[in-house]
Amino acid sequence: MAASRMDNSYVVLSKKNRSKGLGIPPCPRSAASPLTRPIEDSYIMLPPPTASIYKTSSSEGDGAQLLPPSCSSPGNNSGFFSSVTVLKRAFDIATSQTQVEQPLCVECMRILSDKMDFEIEDINSDIKAYEACLQQLEQESYSILSETDFQEENRKIEEEEQKLKADIEEAEKQYSEVSSEMKDLETKYKQFEELEERYWQEFNSFQLQLTSNQGERDAISAKIEDSQAHLEMLEHTDILNDVFYISHYGIFGTINSLRLGHTHVVEWDEINAAWGQAALLLHTMAQYYTPKFQYRIKIHAVGSYPRITDINNKTHKLFGPANVLFSTQYDNAMTLFLTCLQEFAEFAVSLDKEKNVPPDKSFKLPYKIDGDKVGGYRVVLSDFNTRENSTKALKNMLCNLKWVLFWFIRTTS
């Protein structure tokens, strides 16, 4: 049965058909199998129906004798071992009769044939391309140089080569110099970076300190401006002007809101207090310029009970109550007060002349003082003088005293 299967599976071809068989090129056997010998014939594997028409007789050699003698013997081993032995024997016979180590089936033969046809076409296309290039090269004309021209061209090429080598050496030298300069520049760049970093650190520190100093300066400047404004206010402020504020209220002259007049509306306590303030003001200004000012008439400012001493050392009361019948001492005291005020005004005029003050800016009383008259009104209560006229005279007297106070403030400041 094994011999029948092998007969149906292999077809042995002759040598003349070896190169024609289905487009299969001859292939040398591999040297890896030492048991095989040169193959003279080729074979392919066919299915059983096809292989039956290619059966050969036993007279064509060992290739037709597929069944080994051991297989027909009834004493041989059976089973798997016998099958392996049969297959090995068949493989050896097929290998000895062909140049390939293994047989091919029809399907494998067809695939291999198609592949070989494709490779043949690819090789043919390469051959055509090479032939076209060869024809193109054959058609081109060549100018063959003489020996002299060749030597000249060779000499020029060598000279150019030497020149290029010199240029390369010069470029390498320049490259070395540039590399050295680059290293120096990198070193300097790092130094500059360190200097720049240090500069910015110092700059930030200085900027912070500058901001702090500017804040302190602004605070000090604000304090200076406030102090200067306060100083200017103090320079334009005089204590006498604040302590002795002279104004008017209707027909009455007032000093520190105390009315000075001889009507029945005003009480003697208010009149005496007003006279005390006026006497204290004039006495203060006169004492400031003593002994330059000849203080002949002495004013004694004793609160609401002021007195005046004349040049004969006789003292007169400058406070009331007083009436028309018993007002001589009071009238003399008011007249002496006007005299003292007149003398101080004349001293002010003389002092302006010493300081070369222009006449239009020199001191001058707004109301003229003449004895017991001020601005044409008498201050006394006797000699048939009315209380209204006395009140107007006292108002004019306070106005003159205010002008003297302004001159005193301007001169002393």
Side-chain angles (χ1 to χ4, degrees), residues 289 292-293 346-358 362 407 411:
Y289 284 105
K292 192 173 184 179
F293 172 63
E346 292 173 357
F347 170 75
V349 173
S350 63
L351 192 62
D352 286 344
K353 288 181 180 180
E354 290 179 4
K355 295 181 179 180
N356 297 323
V357 179
S362 180
W407 173 86
T411 305

Side-chain angles (χ1 to χ4, degrees), residues 178-363:
V178 170
S179 298
S180 178
E181 292 180 358
M182 284 292 294
K183 291 180 179 179
D184 295 338
L185 291 176
E186 288 178 357
T187 304
K188 292 181 180 179
Y189 177 73
K190 291 180 180 179
Q191 294 176 354
F192 285 144
E193 281 186 342
E194 293 177 357
L195 291 175
E196 183 180 6
E197 184 178 0
R198 191 191 317 166
Y199 165 76
W200 284 115
Q201 290 178 354
E202 294 178 356
F203 176 79
N204 293 332
S205 177
F206 174 77
Q207 192 72 18
L208 181 62
Q209 186 177 1
L210 177 62
T211 303
S212 178
N213 292 337
Q214 286 178 348
E216 293 180 1
R217 183 200 63 185
D218 295 340
I220 294 173
S221 299
K223 290 181 180 179
I224 291 174
E225 291 178 358
D226 186 44
S227 299
Q228 286 180 349
H230 190 62
L231 178 61
E232 290 178 359
M233 182 184 69
L234 292 176
E235 287 177 351
H236 291 84
T237 302
D238 189 83
I239 188 171
L240 294 179
N241 189 32
D242 292 338
V243 173
F244 303 100
Y245 178 71
I246 299 174
S247 182
H248 65 90
Y249 180 75
I251 64 173
F252 299 99
T254 61
I255 179 169
N256 290 336
S257 300
L258 298 174
R259 293 173 295 180
L260 183 60
H262 295 141
T263 63
H264 298 288
V265 179
V266 184
E267 299 292 336
W268 277 104
D269 292 338
E270 186 176 353
I271 294 171
N272 294 338
W275 272 118
Q277 294 292 319
L280 180 60
L281 174 58
L282 184 57
H283 172 72
T284 302
M285 291 187 293
Q287 287 292 326
Y288 182 83
Y289 284 105
T290 302
K292 192 173 184 179
F293 172 63
Q294 298 298 324
Y295 195 26
R296 297 183 308 112
I297 299 174
K298 307 297 181 181
I299 298 175
H300 306 280
V302 190
S304 296
Y305 303 97
R307 292 176 175 82
I308 296 178
T309 302
D310 59 14
I311 58 177
N312 296 322
N313 290 328
K314 185 177 180 180
T315 302
H316 303 273
K317 296 179 180 180
L318 190 59
F319 57 89
N323 53 34
V324 177
L325 298 178
F326 303 98
S327 61
T328 302
Q329 190 175 9
Y330 178 67
D331 291 340
N332 292 334
M334 288 191 295
T335 303
L336 290 173
F337 185 87
L338 292 178
T339 303
C340 184
L341 180 60
Q342 177 66 28
E343 291 177 355
F344 191 80
E346 292 173 357
F347 170 75
V349 173
S350 63
L351 192 62
D352 286 344
K353 288 181 180 180
E354 290 179 4
K355 295 181 179 180
N356 297 323
V357 179
D360 57 338
K361 294 183 179 180
S362 180
F363 177 73

Side-chain angles (χ1 to χ4, degrees), residues 331 334-336 338-339 368-383 385 389 393:
D331 291 340
M334 288 191 295
T335 303
L336 290 173
L338 292 178
T339 303
K368 183 180 179 181
I369 297 176
D370 184 12
D372 59 355
K373 292 182 180 179
V374 183
Y377 295 99
R378 299 179 66 190
V379 296
V380 298
L381 295 177
S382 61
D383 297 336
N385 189 27
N389 291 337

Side-chain angles (χ1 to χ4, degrees), residues 15-141:
K15 293 182 179 179
K16 64 179 67 177
N17 295 329
R18 186 181 306 166
S19 59
K20 299 179 182 179
L22 300 176
I24 302 173
C27 180
R29 282 182 59 236
S30 173
S33 177
L35 300 177
T36 59
R37 61 179 180 270
I39 300 175
E40 296 179 356
D41 297 326
S42 299
Y43 59 89
I44 59 173
M45 296 177 61
L46 299 176
T50 307
S52 62
I53 64 175
Y54 293 98
K55 291 182 179 181
T56 59
S57 64
S58 59
S59 62
E60 292 184 3
D62 297 335
Q65 195 70 24
L66 299 177
L67 185 63
S70 60
C71 293
S72 60
S73 176
N76 291 337
N77 296 329
S78 60
F80 177 75
F81 179 78
S82 60
S83 300
V84 171
T85 303
V86 173
L87 292 175
K88 181 176 183 302
R89 179 61 180 165
F91 181 77
D92 291 339
I93 295 172
T95 302
S96 63
Q97 297 297 324
T98 61
Q99 292 183 356
V100 293
E101 295 183 356
Q102 295 180 0
L104 296 176
C105 64
V106 175
E107 184 66 22
C108 295
M109 189 65 192
R110 184 183 61 78
I111 295 173
L112 181 61
S113 177
D114 294 340
K115 181 176 180 182
M116 294 303 294
D117 292 340
F118 178 76
E119 291 180 356
I120 290 171
E121 291 179 1
D122 190 14
I123 291 172
N124 290 332
S125 63
D126 291 341
I127 292 172
K128 290 180 181 179
Y130 289 141
E131 290 177 352
C133 292
L134 182 61
Q135 292 177 1
Q136 184 177 359
L137 290 174
E138 290 176 352
Q139 292 176 0
E140 293 180 355
S141 61

